[in-house]
């Protein structure tokens, strides 16, 4: 049978097939008989609400008639927001993303709709409908790319945060696409945006970029913090900021300490630790409970990092104190053990007692602190590096079977997260100790390496097609 081309034809066919009167269908669907008659006669447009009732009355799955209804909307009467808005919401609720994307594309050249699409995207994002929100943000960003509006910059920021995920190369691409829009954001939102960018580049170990963004964050946060303390431009500085300005100022110092750490400038790193532990705030009062909570968190991080930088500098006697600190701060055990293993491999230390002590808490898992979940990209990067250092530790102590086991787990995670630098690191480590690998272990490595090659072949095909 030739498929119906309109909702009216679908309904007419259904009524004819079931020999049902308008009154009978009205009782089943909940739509007034007069309304049904007017819709069948073409005198009344079908609202998305009535479409859902008709669909249910016909015994069809929710959204089953959306594609037909969409074709009618696109090729019939002009698509006004009073129909478009509810239709977009229902498409998002039912995960009918193909319909939603076609709807958005149909209005992509209508500038007056952009504020409405943006507000709906914000609603979708708040409801956890991230993919649907991204389609709307992308439309707004493309339509307003020559407008230089704050809405354009905020759409780009939202797309950046939505796109962040497990794939490190995709995260880098998202960061590069967004970075030029930072300065167009409202002052308060800029602080979160710069921090988020710095976190992505830190997870990728692009320390020059982190340094530049940390300096930018310090400058912006210091201005906003001091203006608020002095009761100047309070409304402007409060707009959009998700944490106290003090947080971002201290976080800028923490980022700069991390940069110094990566460059093995541990004495300089300790100077930044002193700054975010409170030295930079001498003479400045903490005004409220939220700021006190911020200060306390950075004091805790500062205490741990002071132990760490001293340890990495060669003061191995602080290891016992550092171990007691991480025992009392369980979310920090994996990143701390990664650095302890790094020090153990550098200074030929035995840390078996710590591996045994924290054995049950050294799995891969999300971490949270006083301010919510930790950056997922950094958590992933630290765990893969932890496995690499653990493998090297076992190799150094001639426990080759255990070393290869950890190395392969690290390779699997690096492959899953498309972490190219750590895949190379794991491959180099294997080649260094290949002569100690059994035939079975070498076959496992060969299989993993084939998976890596397949992944990169697939990625190159996608890039070529794009």
């Amino acid at each position: 049978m030739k498929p119906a081309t309109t909702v009216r034809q679908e309904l007419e066919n259904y009524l004819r097939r079931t020999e049902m009167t308008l009154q009978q269908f009205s009782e089943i669907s909940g739509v007034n008989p007069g309304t049904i008659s007017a819709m069948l006669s073409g005198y009344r447009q079908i609202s998305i609400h009535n479409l859902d009732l008709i669909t249910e009355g016909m015994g069809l799955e929710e959204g089953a008639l959306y594609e037909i209804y969409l074709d009618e909307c696109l090729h019939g009467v002009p698509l006004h927001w009073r129909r478009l808005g509810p239709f977009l919401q229902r498409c998002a609720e039912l995960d009918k993303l193909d319909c939603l994307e076609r709807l958005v594309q149909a209005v992509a050249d209508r500038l007056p709709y952009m504020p409405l699409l943006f507000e709906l995207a914000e609603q979708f994002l708040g409801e956890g409908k991230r993919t649907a929100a991204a389609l709307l943000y992308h439309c707004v960003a493309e339509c307003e790319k020559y407008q230089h509006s704050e809405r354009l910059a905020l759409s780009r920021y939202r797309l950046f945060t939505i796109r962040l995920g497990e794939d490190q190369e995709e995260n880098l691409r998202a960061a590069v696409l967004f970075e030029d829009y930072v300065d167009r954001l409202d002052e308060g939102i800029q602080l979160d945006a710069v921090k988020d960018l710095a976190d992505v580049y830190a997870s990728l170990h692009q320390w020059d970029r982190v340094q530049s963004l940390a300096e930018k964050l310090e400058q912006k946060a210091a201005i906003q913090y001091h203006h608020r303390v002095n009761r100047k431009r309070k409304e402007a500085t409060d707009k959009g900021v998700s944490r106290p300005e003090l947080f971002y100022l201290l976080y800028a110092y923490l980022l700069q300490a991390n940069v110094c750490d990566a460059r093995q400038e541990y004495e300089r790193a300790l100077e930044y630790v002193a700054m975010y532990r409170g030295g930079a705030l001498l003479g400045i009062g903490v005004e409220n409970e939220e700021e006190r909570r911020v200060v306390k968190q950075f004091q805790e991080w500062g205490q741990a990092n002071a132990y760490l930088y001293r340890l990495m500098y060669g003061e191995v006697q602080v290891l016992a104190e550092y171990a007691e600190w991480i025992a009392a701060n369980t979310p920090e055990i994996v990143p701390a053990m990664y650095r302890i293993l790094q020090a153990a491999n550098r200074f030929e230390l035995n840390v078996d007692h710590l591996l045994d002590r924290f054995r049950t808490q050294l799995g891969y898992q999300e971490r949270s602190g006083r301010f919510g979940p930790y950056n997922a990209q950094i958590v992933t990067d630290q765990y893969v590096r932890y496995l690499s250092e653990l493998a090297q530790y076992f190799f150094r102590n001639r426990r080759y079977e255990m070393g290869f086991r950890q190395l392969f787990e690290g390779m699997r995670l690096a492959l899953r997260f498309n972490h190219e630098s750590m895949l190379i690191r794991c491959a180099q480590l294997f080649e260094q100790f290949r002569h100690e690998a059994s035939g079975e272990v070498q076959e496992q490595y060969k299989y993993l390496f084939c998976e890596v090659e397949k992944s990169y072949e697939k990625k190159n095909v996608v890039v070529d097609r794009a």
Side-chain angles (χ1 to χ4, degrees):
M1 184 176 72
K2 185 178 179 180
T5 56
T6 68
V7 174
R8 293 179 182 85
Q9 289 175 350
E10 284 280 2
L11 180 55
E12 286 174 350
N13 290 345
Y14 176 80
L15 294 175
R16 188 180 304 113
R17 187 170 62 252
T18 60
E19 298 181 348
M20 193 177 292
T21 66
L22 295 186
Q23 181 61 43
Q24 289 171 326
F25 186 73
S26 173
E27 293 172 0
I28 293 173
S29 65
V31 182
N32 183 279
T35 301
I36 298 173
S37 177
M39 289 189 297
L40 290 173
S41 301
Y43 292 119
R44 179 168 181 163
Q45 295 181 17
I46 303 174
S47 68
I48 191 67
H49 174 68
N50 283 336
L51 177 65
D52 287 337
L53 293 176
I54 290 170
T55 303
E56 184 179 3
M58 293 170 63
L60 301 175
E61 182 182 353
E62 277 190 299
L65 300 177
Y66 277 17
E67 285 80 5
I68 296 173
Y69 183 73
L70 176 58
D71 286 335
E72 289 186 65
C73 291
L74 298 182
H75 300 103
V77 295
L79 194 60
H80 296 296
W81 185 257
R82 64 176 178 270
R83 297 182 73 199
L84 176 62
F87 196 3
L88 287 169
Q89 292 196 51
R90 287 296 288 154
C91 286
E93 289 168 6
L94 299 180
D95 206 29
K96 304 281 285 187
L97 298 180
D98 288 343
C99 285
L100 189 147
E101 186 170 13
R102 288 181 61 197
L103 272 170
V104 169
Q105 289 174 349
V107 298
D109 59 344
R110 304 186 187 184
L111 278 173
Y113 279 178
M114 293 307 110
L116 298 169
L117 283 177
F118 178 80
E119 289 176 10
L120 191 55
E122 294 281 89
Q123 177 186 323
F124 287 168
L125 187 62
E127 295 169 351
K129 302 181 181 78
R130 295 169 63 84
T131 305
L135 290 171
L136 270 61
Y137 285 128
H138 182 74
C139 178
V140 174
E142 287 299 305
C143 189
E144 297 198 337
K145 60 185 176 183
Y146 301 117
Q147 305 300 314
H148 303 287
S149 66
E150 183 186 333
R151 185 165 52 244
L152 164 65
L154 191 51
S155 293
R156 287 295 181 189
Y157 178 44
R158 300 289 194 241
L159 287 169
F160 163 64
T161 58
I162 289 170
R163 288 168 178 167
L164 293 180
E166 295 182 345
D167 191 312
Q168 294 281 41
E169 287 194 16
E170 287 299 319
N171 293 339
L172 175 59
R173 189 173 295 112
V176 171
L177 286 172
F178 165 62
E179 194 165 351
D180 287 343
Y181 295 90
V182 171
D183 291 333
R184 302 187 199 178
L185 291 166
D186 178 80
E187 287 183 348
I189 299 173
Q190 281 184 28
L191 298 179
D192 277 319
V194 175
K195 175 193 174 295
D196 291 343
L197 276 170
D199 284 344
V200 171
Y201 285 119
S203 72
L204 297 166
H205 287 228
Q206 294 195 10
W207 298 113
D208 288 345
R209 293 297 307 126
V210 176
Q211 178 65 34
S212 175
L213 288 164
E215 292 172 356
K216 187 172 188 174
L217 183 61
E218 178 186 357
Q219 180 185 29
K220 290 179 177 295
I223 292 171
Q224 293 191 36
Y225 177 73
H226 290 298
H227 278 164
R228 188 181 59 76
V229 168
N230 294 327
R231 306 295 186 216
K232 294 178 180 177
R233 301 194 308 163
K234 188 177 192 308
E235 292 184 5
T237 55
D238 283 350
K239 182 182 176 184
V241 69
S242 64
R243 299 181 177 99
E245 294 90 342
L246 178 60
F247 170 88
Y248 301 97
L249 180 59
L250 299 183
Y251 199 83
Y253 299 141
L254 184 145
L255 286 170
Q256 291 177 82
N258 290 345
V259 172
C260 293
D261 175 24
R263 295 170 176 169
Q264 298 186 23
E265 299 171 356
Y266 300 116
E267 291 186 77
R268 181 62 175 153
L270 285 167
E271 292 177 12
Y272 280 113
V273 168
M275 294 172 73
Y276 67 74
R277 286 183 77 177
L281 302 177
L282 292 176
I284 300 177
V286 176
E287 294 192 342
N288 53 52
E289 182 58 35
E290 192 173 10
E291 289 188 350
R292 279 189 284 273
R293 186 164 60 92
V294 167
V295 169
K296 185 173 182 181
Q297 178 65 87
F298 278 93
Q299 286 175 341
E300 291 176 2
W301 286 338
Q303 181 181 5
N305 287 333
Y307 289 138
L308 169 62
Y309 300 148
R310 289 171 62 194
L311 174 63
M312 298 307 295
Y313 191 64
E315 295 182 36
V316 296
Q317 65 272 19
V318 305
L319 180 57
E321 294 176 80
Y322 189 25
E324 292 307 314
W325 185 90
I326 62 175
N329 295 269
T330 54
E332 307 297 330
I333 287 177
V334 169
M337 281 305 302
Y338 153 54
R339 301 307 304 275
I340 287 172
L341 285 164
Q342 196 176 44
N345 290 329
R346 180 179 300 176
F347 302 117
E348 298 187 356
L349 306 177
N350 186 311
V351 294
D352 286 356
H353 62 294
L354 296 180
L355 290 171
D356 184 62
R357 179 178 180 179
F358 301 126
R359 182 177 64 255
T360 61
Q361 298 160 300
L362 288 171
Y364 176 70
Q365 58 186 344
E366 296 179 353
R367 293 166 32 224
S368 295
R370 295 176 186 271
F371 308 111
Y374 284 7
N375 180 276
Q377 294 75 40
I378 292 178
V379 170
T380 297
D381 174 71
Q382 288 173 338
Y383 192 72
V384 175
R385 292 178 185 277
Y386 156 74
L387 291 173
S388 172
E389 290 295 335
L390 183 58
Q392 184 169 349
Y393 177 78
F394 286 139
F395 289 148
R396 185 173 60 81
N397 288 283
R398 302 181 183 277
R399 285 176 270 178
Y400 300 112
E401 183 180 348
M402 296 175 70
F404 287 121
R405 190 183 309 146
Q406 302 303 323
L407 184 64
F408 291 164
E409 184 180 350
M411 284 189 70
R412 291 187 191 98
L413 277 175
L415 177 59
R416 172 183 164 188
F417 298 123
N418 196 17
H419 199 326
E420 185 174 350
S421 64
M422 285 310 298
L423 279 170
I424 294 171
R425 165 65 177 152
C426 289
Q428 290 173 335
L429 198 53
F430 179 84
E431 293 301 332
Q432 185 180 348
F433 293 95
R434 176 189 283 272
H435 61 283
E436 300 292 349
S438 65
E440 181 182 354
V441 167
Q442 295 202 38
E443 284 299 313
Q444 290 181 47
Y445 177 75
K446 183 178 179 181
Y447 173 78
L448 276 171
F449 198 82
C450 286
E451 291 298 306
V452 172
E453 289 181 325
K454 288 178 185 177
S455 174
Y456 277 88
E457 286 174 3
K458 182 178 179 181
K459 182 177 67 174
N460 289 336
V461 168
V462 170
V463 170
D464 289 344
R465 288 178 179 173

